[in-house]
């Protein structure tokens, strides 16, 4: 199984896979193990973030002028 999985602690967001003759059970097991590993990575990142004490930067969304929307349409 050639498997790339991206996700968060709560869910798998993306899967890219190539598998010749892999069973459904093998794929489900591989995805479960991948999600478990992602959870461990997220925990590590959260721990480092807490240790450093740096808060998440809040970025204000820029408003796009209605003129621009009309021009694109």
């Amino acid at each position: 199984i050639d498997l790339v999985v991206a996700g968060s602690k709560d869910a798998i967001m993306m899967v890219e896979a190539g598998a010749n003759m892999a069973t459904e059970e093998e794929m489900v097991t591989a995805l479960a193990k991948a999600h478990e590993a992602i959870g461990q990575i997220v925990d590590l990142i959260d721990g480092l973030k807490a240790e450093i004490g740096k808060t998440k930067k809040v970025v204000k969304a820029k408003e796009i002028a209605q003129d621009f929307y009309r021009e694109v349409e």
Side-chain angles (χ1 to χ4, degrees), residues 1 21-31:
I1 298 174
M21 306 302 282
T23 66
E24 182 178 350
E25 183 180 338
E26 291 170 331
M27 287 302 294
V28 170
T29 300
L31 290 170

Side-chain angles (χ1 to χ4, degrees), residues 5-46:
V5 180
S8 67
K9 190 169 187 154
D10 300 322
I12 292 175
M13 305 295 184
M14 180 200 74
V15 175
E16 292 183 14
N20 292 331
M21 306 302 282
T23 66
E24 182 178 350
E25 183 180 338
E26 291 170 331
M27 287 302 294
V28 170
T29 300
L31 290 170
K33 287 183 179 184
H35 191 238
E36 183 181 323
I38 289 169
Q40 292 171 354
I41 293 167
V42 170
D43 288 342
L44 175 66
I45 292 169
D46 288 344

Side-chain angles (χ1 to χ4, degrees), residues 64-73:
I64 300 174
Q66 291 299 319
D67 301 1
F68 179 77
Y69 283 117
R70 282 189 282 275
E71 187 177 321
V72 172
E73 290 177 340

Side-chain angles (χ1 to χ4, degrees), residues 2 4 27 32 38 48 57 71:
D2 182 16
V4 176
M27 287 302 294
I38 289 169
L48 290 171
K57 185 176 181 179
E71 187 177 321

